[in-house]
Amino acid sequence: HVQLVESGGGSVQAGGSLRLSCKYSGRSSRCKGWFRQAPGKERERVASLDVFGENTYYADSVKGRFTISEEQWQSTVYLQMNSLKPEDTAIYYCAAGGGDCSFSVVYTDWGQGTQVTVS
């Protein structure tokens, strides 16, 4: 398994920015992603990438505002979130997995989540 620990969440006003970090350890994973779940809503994949930094995916709702990146030498995945909106409020989870990174089902290792609140 992969151990994942998120940080960087918090409260911000609409239009502001936050950067989430996910420190990972354990076996290597082909796919890394960020998911979020708002109260009463299903969990959705926000962004993901593969081990080569390719096949980057963004949900339509965050395209142009969020950027996923990975610093492998730091074993850390980031999610830079700009122009935040109240609808971005959710618990954000870092996840990892193998196989085809375009399928959410492949993400089988999860962090504990970090709260992001936009007012």
Side-chain angles (χ1 to χ4, degrees):
H1 289 289
V2 178
Q3 291 75 48
L4 304 155
V5 180
E6 303 98 334
S7 61
S11 297
V12 65
Q13 291 188 339
S17 298
L18 283 174
R19 188 177 78 157
L20 305 183
S21 300
C22 173
K23 183 79 170 179
Y24 57 84
S25 60
R27 66 175 173 83
S28 61
S29 297
R30 176 178 175 80
C31 311
K32 308 290 194 315
W34 286 95
F35 292 70
R36 68 185 180 187
Q37 187 165 23
K41 295 187 177 181
E42 293 187 355
R43 186 171 57 193
E44 65 169 337
R45 182 160 48 112
V46 174
S48 62
L49 49 66
D50 67 19
V51 67
F52 303 107
E54 300 174 349
N55 297 314
T56 305
Y57 164 88
Y58 293 99
D60 288 343
S61 58
V62 307
K63 282 180 181 176
R65 300 188 298 121
F66 289 12
T67 303
I68 187 171
S69 62
E70 181 177 8
E71 293 288 353
Q72 294 183 3
W73 68 277
Q74 290 185 321
S75 299
T76 303
V77 179
Y78 299 99
L79 184 68
Q80 178 66 45
M81 306 185 295
N82 298 328
S83 302
L84 283 161
K85 304 175 181 180
E87 51 263 44
D88 294 318
T89 296
I91 299 175
Y92 284 71
Y93 298 91
C94 180
D100 189 336
C101 303
S102 62
F103 292 100
S104 294
V105 69
V106 308
Y107 296 86
T108 55
D109 294 304
W110 295 84
Q112 82 287 353
T114 185
Q115 177 71 46
V116 171
T117 302
V118 185
S119 59

